[in-house]
């Protein structure tokens, strides 16, 4: 996001955008090369070698006489290279292969505004081969009875234009196109001789064409208005078939293609009652042409400055969200031979948010923030019969559920408190401590409140670092950084072992959905 939206990035911004902290936990080595030529030109070339990839990037102006600049970054999978060299990291055949490229070009003009061209794209694959698994080990990657071969491809390219219409009015227009493709083949392995039998084939492709417009108007020192619109045209194709129980025929779960338009328009007004009290109000309109779903969403936020360095904020928002697009196109075979899309008429999932926060700064470089929140979810897709299923738990597994004939009758709730203590980088060190205590529950069509799959109850993060200058004139720097994460385990549905043995496949105890919790998660990096 930083890399796509900022006009010009400094070296530190580039490092943050290209190599964010969550991807740099196990850096094996870093190299940094700066080249200068001419009086005003500066081109920087950056590289990193870590467990998440070999990366190289560059940024700088196109010429000393031009204000236009560029930024580009490329990454290739480290484990893929090491696997080719015969180095084993203990994952067996499950070695991720990936590469990606991202870029941005910024072109300011004297009278025609500022243009930005941006893009990113990548491909990836991983083979989870039960046929190559060491079944004497409990540390398996994938299913020992299946060979799974996922393949992914994604990309986006766009152009943005920002124009100052006058000293009080500006507008931004963005045009973009994105592509997402996935293909997964699953072979079931024979229990007798381990020969593979084609079991399941999935191909999903979505192209999205987006137009985004925003107009900002400053009327005076107290009043600002922002209006805008998003138009997203989806062009999709979903294919999914699975081998029937007779071992000969295939059942089609999805076989759809077409287009649909998601439209969004909004207006936001900011009013400053005084130097201390600011009100933000707005309304958002959301429409999906596929089934003519419509949502009108009011939102408001109030911020009060208690004194120098202390703020209190209160906010309310009503939000709607479309369902994962393939869910709409799941198909059901009718007894007479016809095909029906049972989920095509699903409406939006609705959510109401209430937030109360307190923000305080200590001196110039320390900030503390506390926030309490409550979220009420409604119109959640659930089964039409008494069941523990809810689409809120989507994402806990690799794939999407194949439940059809869903209805918007489920609910959910999330509430908790979040604390943040941050020292910005000064005097050669920084730190960031965050903690979250929360509860996340849902209710399916059986009217029973349960934990969601993600209800870990708490998360604690610590991040700290120090730079130590040394050498002649202290021109060299040794940087030491540390990160720690501790989180409650996710919830899972227990397995009915006896029924699973009788049927030869996994059977879950669905009336005890998400009643068992994994152990806590701990990780630290230096």
């Amino acid at each position: 996001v930083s890399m796509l939206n900022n006009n010009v990035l400094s070296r530190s911004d580039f490092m943050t955008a290209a190599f964010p902290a969550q991807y740099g936990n196990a850096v094996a080595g870093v190299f940094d090369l700066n080249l200068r030529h001419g009086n005003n030109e500066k081109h920087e070339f950056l590289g990193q070698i870590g467990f998440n990839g070999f990366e190289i990037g560059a940024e700088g102006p196109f010429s000393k006489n031009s204000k236009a600049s560029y930024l580009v970054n490329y990454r290739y999978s480290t484990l893929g290279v090491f696997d080719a060299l015969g180095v084993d990291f203990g994952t067996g055949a499950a070695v991720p292969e990936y590469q990606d490229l991202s870029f941005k070009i910024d072109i300011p003009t004297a009278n025609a505004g500022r243009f930005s061209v941006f893009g990113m794209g990548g491909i990836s694959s991983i083979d989870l081969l039960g046929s190559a698994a060491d079944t004497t080990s409990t540390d398996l990657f994938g299913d020992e009875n299946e060979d799974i071969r996922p393949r992914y491809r994604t990309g986006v390219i766009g152009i943005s234009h920002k124009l100052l219409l006058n000293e009080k009015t500006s507008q931004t227009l963005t045009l973009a196109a994105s592509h997402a493709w996935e293909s997964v083949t699953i072979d079931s392995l024979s229990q007798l001789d381990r020969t593979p039998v084609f079991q399941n084939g999935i191909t999903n492709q979505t192209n999205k064409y987006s137009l985004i417009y925003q107009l900002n108007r400053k009327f005076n020192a107290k009043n600002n208005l922002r209006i805008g619109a998003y138009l997203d045209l989806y062009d999709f194709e979903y294919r999914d078939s699975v081998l029937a129980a007779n071992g000969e025929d295939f059942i089609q779960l999805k076989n759809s293609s077409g287009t649909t338009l998601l439209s969004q328009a909004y207006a936001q007004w900011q009013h400053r009652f005084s130097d201390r009290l600011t009100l933000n109000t707005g309304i958002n309109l959301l429409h999906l042409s596929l089934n003519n779903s419509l949502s009108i969403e009011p939102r408001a936020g109030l911020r009060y400055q208690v004194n120098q360095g202390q703020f209190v904020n209160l906010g309310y928002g009503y939000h709607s969200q479309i369902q994962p697009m393939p869910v709409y196109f799941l198909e059901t075979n009718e007894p007479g031979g016809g095909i029906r899309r049972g989920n095509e008429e699903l409406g939006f999932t609705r959510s109401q948010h209430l937030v109360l926060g307190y923000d305080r700064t200590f001196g110039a470089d320390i900030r503390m923030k506390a926030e309490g929140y409550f979220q009420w979810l409604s119109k959640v897709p659930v089964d039409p019969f008494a069941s523990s299923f809810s689409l809120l738990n989507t994402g806990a597994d690799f794939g999407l559920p194949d439940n059809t004939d869903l209805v918007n009758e489920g609910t959910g709730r999330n509430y908790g408190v979040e604390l943040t203590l941050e020292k910005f980088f000064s005097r050669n060190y920084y730190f960031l401590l965050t903690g979250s205590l929360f509860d996340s529950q849902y209710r399916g069509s059986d009217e029973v409140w349960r934990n969601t799959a993600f209800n870990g109850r708490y998360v604690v993060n610590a991040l700290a670092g120090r730079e130590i200058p040394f050498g002649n004139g202290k021109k060299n720097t040794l940087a030491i950084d540390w990160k720690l994460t501790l989180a409650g385990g996710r919830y899972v549905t227990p397995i009915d072992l006896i029924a699973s043995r009788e049927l030869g496949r996994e059977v879950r105890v669905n009336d005890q959905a998400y009643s068992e919790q994994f152990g806590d998660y701990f990780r630290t990096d230096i």
Side-chain angles (χ1 to χ4, degrees):
V1 174
S2 173
M3 190 156 51
L4 294 182
N5 294 330
N6 287 348
N7 289 322
V8 179
L9 296 178
S10 67
R11 177 188 178 282
S12 60
D13 291 331
F14 175 79
M15 291 295 288
T16 301
F19 317 130
Q22 62 266 38
Y23 296 123
N25 290 328
V27 177
V30 176
F31 65 89
D32 182 354
L33 174 65
N34 296 309
L35 297 180
R36 295 177 187 267
H37 57 90
N39 295 326
N40 297 312
E41 285 186 83
K42 181 182 180 184
H43 295 265
E44 296 199 24
F45 298 87
L46 304 166
Q48 172 169 297
I49 301 172
F51 280 115
N52 28 264
F54 292 90
E55 303 192 49
I56 187 168
E59 64 169 323
F62 283 100
S63 70
K64 66 180 181 180
N65 297 321
S66 172
K67 294 183 178 180
S69 60
Y70 72 92
L71 181 154
V72 63
N73 182 73
Y74 172 76
R75 179 177 65 159
Y76 188 84
S77 74
T78 312
L79 295 185
V81 173
F82 288 156
D83 181 64
L85 296 175
V87 180
D88 184 9
F89 279 89
T91 61
V95 177
E97 301 271 359
Y98 53 86
Q99 55 182 313
D100 49 62
L101 175 72
S102 56
F103 73 91
K104 184 181 178 194
I105 299 172
D106 184 66
I107 308 172
T109 66
N111 300 311
R114 182 175 227 113
F115 294 86
S116 296
V117 181
F118 57 87
M120 59 172 59
I123 57 176
S124 65
S125 64
I126 185 170
D127 292 334
L128 305 170
L129 304 180
S131 57
D134 180 5
T135 56
T136 63
S137 170
T138 58
D139 193 13
L140 298 176
F141 291 83
D143 188 327
E144 64 181 277
N145 297 312
E146 291 180 336
D147 283 352
I148 307 175
R149 295 178 174 86
R151 301 290 184 268
Y152 302 97
R153 183 174 67 230
T154 187
V156 60
I157 190 168
I159 182 171
S160 180
H161 178 227
K162 184 174 182 178
L163 180 64
L164 187 64
L165 301 177
N166 55 53
E167 61 181 10
K168 292 187 176 182
T169 309
S170 65
Q171 68 175 19
T172 303
L173 176 66
T174 302
L175 300 175
S178 64
H179 169 79
W181 173 88
E182 66 171 334
S183 175
V184 182
T185 60
I186 302 176
D187 293 337
S188 179
L189 301 178
S190 168
Q191 296 293 313
L192 298 177
D193 57 10
R194 306 292 287 172
T195 57
V197 177
F198 183 70
Q199 178 78 24
N200 192 195
I202 304 168
T203 302
N204 292 328
Q205 176 174 295
T206 302
N207 297 316
K208 186 172 73 169
Y209 307 95
S210 302
L211 183 151
I212 305 167
Y213 177 77
Q214 180 176 290
L215 178 71
N216 294 294
R217 170 71 177 179
K218 181 178 181 179
F219 292 98
N220 49 50
K222 290 188 175 183
N223 294 282
N224 294 284
L225 177 67
R226 173 180 295 174
I227 60 174
Y230 292 78
L231 296 177
D232 291 323
L233 178 63
Y234 290 85
D235 178 14
F236 55 85
E237 182 176 345
Y238 303 127
R239 313 291 182 203
D240 189 353
S241 59
V242 63
L243 187 66
N246 60 18
E248 298 179 359
D249 301 321
F250 280 85
I251 301 173
Q252 275 193 347
L253 299 177
K254 291 191 294 290
N255 185 21
S256 303
S257 62
T259 60
T260 188
L261 180 67
L262 181 66
S263 307
Q264 181 178 348
Y266 65 91
Q268 177 182 309
W269 172 55
Q270 183 186 80
H271 177 70
R272 293 185 176 91
F273 292 97
S274 67
D275 292 340
R276 291 191 173 189
L277 185 61
T278 302
L279 173 67
N280 287 287
T281 58
I283 191 165
N284 188 73
L285 178 70
L286 191 65
H287 179 262
L288 180 65
S289 66
L290 175 69
N291 52 27
N292 209 31
S293 294
L294 178 67
S295 177
I296 301 175
E297 306 159 1
R299 298 164 190 175
L302 195 64
R303 181 176 173 87
Y304 178 70
Q305 182 175 353
V306 180
N307 54 40
Q308 185 66 31
Q310 289 194 75
F311 299 88
V312 177
N313 63 277
L314 176 66
Y316 168 81
Y318 186 74
H319 300 261
S320 300
Q321 186 179 46
I322 65 172
Q323 312 307 333
M325 197 60 71
V327 170
Y328 290 107
F329 301 101
L330 283 168
E331 297 179 344
T332 302
N333 295 317
E334 299 282 24
I339 294 176
R340 177 174 54 85
R341 295 178 184 171
N343 294 335
E344 195 169 26
E345 295 303 316
L346 278 175
F348 299 130
T349 295
R350 310 298 176 100
S351 175
Q352 298 188 69
H353 299 245
L354 185 64
V355 178
L356 176 63
Y358 172 74
D359 197 328
R360 180 170 183 177
T361 57
F362 300 89
D365 57 0
I366 295 181
R367 179 191 183 197
M368 182 190 74
K369 185 176 181 180
E371 196 168 74
Y373 64 89
F374 180 83
Q375 179 189 28
W376 176 261
L377 297 137
S378 60
K379 304 292 184 180
V380 179
V382 295
D383 284 328
F385 51 87
S387 163
S388 61
F389 173 81
S390 172
L391 207 62
L392 284 182
N393 295 304
T394 299
D397 298 315
F398 284 112
L400 290 170
D402 56 7
N403 301 53
T404 59
D405 300 315
L406 298 175
V407 293
N408 291 101
E409 297 179 2
T411 55
R413 62 192 179 203
N414 301 302
Y415 57 90
V417 293
E418 295 187 352
L419 302 173
T420 301
L421 181 63
E422 180 176 13
K423 181 191 178 298
F424 305 107
F425 185 82
S426 64
R427 301 188 296 278
N428 291 329
Y429 77 99
Y430 73 94
F431 64 80
L432 174 66
L433 302 174
T434 66
S436 179
L437 298 175
F438 62 92
D439 192 30
S440 177
Q441 296 184 335
Y442 80 97
R443 184 170 59 185
S445 55
D446 59 2
E447 299 295 322
V448 177
W449 282 102
R450 294 182 168 88
N451 298 300
T452 68
F454 313 101
N455 194 18
R457 309 285 184 175
Y458 77 96
V459 179
V460 176
N461 288 288
L463 183 66
R466 180 172 178 80
E467 289 189 358
I468 305 172
F470 67 95
N472 293 332
K474 295 189 175 181
K475 294 181 179 180
N476 302 301
T477 300
L478 174 65
I480 301 175
D481 300 88
W482 168 71
K483 180 182 178 183
L484 177 144
T485 297
L486 180 62
R490 297 199 310 185
Y491 278 84
V492 292
T493 301
I495 294 175
D496 187 331
L497 190 57
I498 296 176
S500 299
R501 285 171 174 165
E502 291 176 351
L503 295 177
R505 60 178 176 82
E506 179 189 277
V507 177
R508 296 278 178 170
V509 187
N510 289 318
D511 60 354
Q512 299 177 28
Y514 304 106
S515 60
E516 294 186 356
Q517 188 178 18
F518 283 127
D520 291 347
Y521 174 84
F522 174 81
R523 174 171 178 160
T524 188
D525 300 275
I526 190 167

